[in-house]
Amino acid sequence: MEKITDKIAALPKDAKYFSLEFFPPKTTMGSSNLQSRLERMTRGLRPLFVTVTWGAGGSTATKSLELAEICQRQLGVTTCLHLTCTNMDRSLVDEALGEAKALGIRNILALRGDPPRNEEYRQGPEPTPGEGEFVWAIDLVRYIRKHHGNYFCTGVAAYPEGHADGSYPQHQDPARDLPYLVEKVKAGADFIMTQLFFDFQAYEKFESMLRNDPSGVFNGIPIIPGLMPVQSYQILQRTTKLSHAKLPPEIDERLKAVKKDDEAVKKVGVDIASEIVEKIMTLPSRGPRGVHFYTLNLEKAVAFIVERCQLTPPPELDEDDESALVDDMESALVLDGSHDVDGKRDHYRRRLSSVTSNPHNMVVVDHASTNSNFEASAEEAGIPREKVNTRANTLAISEGEGSLGREATWDDYPNGRWGDARSPAYGEIDGYGVSLHVSITNAVRLWDHPTTTSDITNLFIRHVKGELEAIPWSEEGLNEESKAIQQELLQLNKKGWWTVASQPAVNGVRSNDKMFGWGPRNGFVFQKAFVEFFLPASDWEKLRKKLSVSEEITYFAGNSKGEFMASDAESVNSVTWGVFTGKEIVTPTIIERVSFEAWLQEAFDIWREWQRVYASGSPSAKLLEDVTRDYWLVNIIHHAFVEPAALWNLLLKD
């Protein structure tokens, strides 16, 4: 497969292109569904290349390489493998580069990763420069160039608004970063890919600064801006906090106006991203213009943006899949995501497919019979008249058209780890694996040096009270809805049961309710109360007996040793659902064994990450090691959602 820079150089000077980022799903079902999604997106959208993320410290190494192999070999798409270098033994870097080479991958995005923790990952005396110790991304760039010559096309990251190391956004300044970026390019970087941003003016200034730098190293190098389509307001808030990307007031106002309606947020997000793309395409350029999309493993929003901005390559009419381009005006459809550009109709027009087809339990027939209540025509079922695998129809499905499109985009409104474990988007939204998301300095500032379980209890209590901005399992404060059960959470934490997730019971509240509302207007939302917390093994044994006598309780529990218990291991529990006009019941929050076990491993890995903040053998490290070994993580659901106090009465009564 070609290098990214060769593919860009082969394009016409005025060409547009785009690339897509994916991360390894948390679950086996998610991986299977992502493969189907990749096939649709690469066929229907035709990105110039795709990138595959790499977890901090190599935590997703195996899954990342498996996903890269699917993209490169099975789908035949030029693939770029992310590779972080800090907190990784040099042998792991060598192994990753060797595997990439064996797979035919010729593109690497060289990243630093989390700040290095030398005590944990290096034994013996301090190394001298040149021994292969990785502290910065430039060390990895030099290493790749030294040991692999020009085999790999190496990319590096850049920050249009400045890099905020140590979670101190006040220090962000692109000009301060510039000398380091110059050195990375001189060391052998072939292209630059930026952090996500929403402030177009910041990017415009940044690119101009690079192109006009006296060093001249940026004159011909591809600079690819990174954009993240807005998937939900909650995800946007978390992402901008972690990345320190500024949200211009006018964009924030547009999104705040619809923040409780996920569908409306996504539509506004498509508008915003499309506007930014179109502005980028108007900037002066010496060659092809491209953008990189952080997909979060979702397809619908990206498909709309790509088509609206006409980023897909020109059709090659000798391809079989172009049979879907039709002249039949009566059956052609221009989607909401398409519009006239400069007075000309978009270049894709597709067959009409039903967007309001009848319930799914109908039989698709060619000719109606007397049992019409149980039958549907192919058109009513949303089945395209052409072959389903044509490129235009594939794009239509990615955009959610018809019943096939609804099936493909069923997980279109993600909810972090509380979504459906079958979704490729399930789990951490950034796809970079287990991480504290803060530097060592900031971790110590936030959590000090705990030496007793009482110290840890105090941290959780302060977080619930709003006095501590983050704990290792949450970079945010208490959600608004959780404030309704704040006193109950405080009582649990005072018992030494450290809560990491919870929600109150809600029975038919309007979907526009300021605290509990979500989804389209004129709907009703429901919630079952649940809570998840860490507790000592001795406490869990007592609590388990108490829970076992209640028929209204479902629980899942596990520890770091791999032990697992459940009241009903096969149960699938919808704990949040909504009823909206003209829609099927929406269930964005599901708790089941697969999702719990995927999170269970990560939850205890976070304890280990916290332990590594402190010197090996120190009182704090020893305490966190003991907690990891002894404690259980328990998730408890109370199904009586019409009784708001039922769960808390059960847990807090002696």
Side-chain angles (χ1 to χ4, degrees), residues 401-412:
E401 267 195 65
S403 58
L404 292 177
R406 287 196 300 278
E407 182 180 344
T409 60
W410 60 274
D411 61 342
D412 201 41

Side-chain angles (χ1 to χ4, degrees), residues 40 43-45 299-312 315 321-339 345-355 379 382-402 404-405:
R40 281 194 302 274
R43 180 179 179 83
L45 304 182
E299 62 185 301
K300 190 173 182 179
V302 173
F304 273 124
I305 296 165
V306 166
E307 187 178 18
R308 179 177 294 187
C309 298
Q310 299 187 6
L311 297 179
T312 50
D321 64 357
E322 289 308 317
S323 63
L325 294 175
V326 297
D327 294 323
D328 184 353
M329 290 297 294
E330 293 182 356
S331 62
L333 171 68
V334 177
L335 298 181
D336 292 341
S338 303
H339 63 288
R345 188 174 294 278
D346 278 9
H347 63 299
Y348 282 115
R349 291 159 53 203
R350 290 185 234 91
R351 297 287 190 186
L352 176 64
S353 60
S354 171
V355 293
E379 184 176 16
I383 297 177
R385 297 178 186 177
E386 296 88 5
K387 299 175 183 177
V388 172
N389 65 349
T390 62
R391 183 161 67 90
N393 278 334
T394 303
L395 179 56
I397 292 169
S398 286
E399 291 177 345
E401 267 195 65
L404 292 177

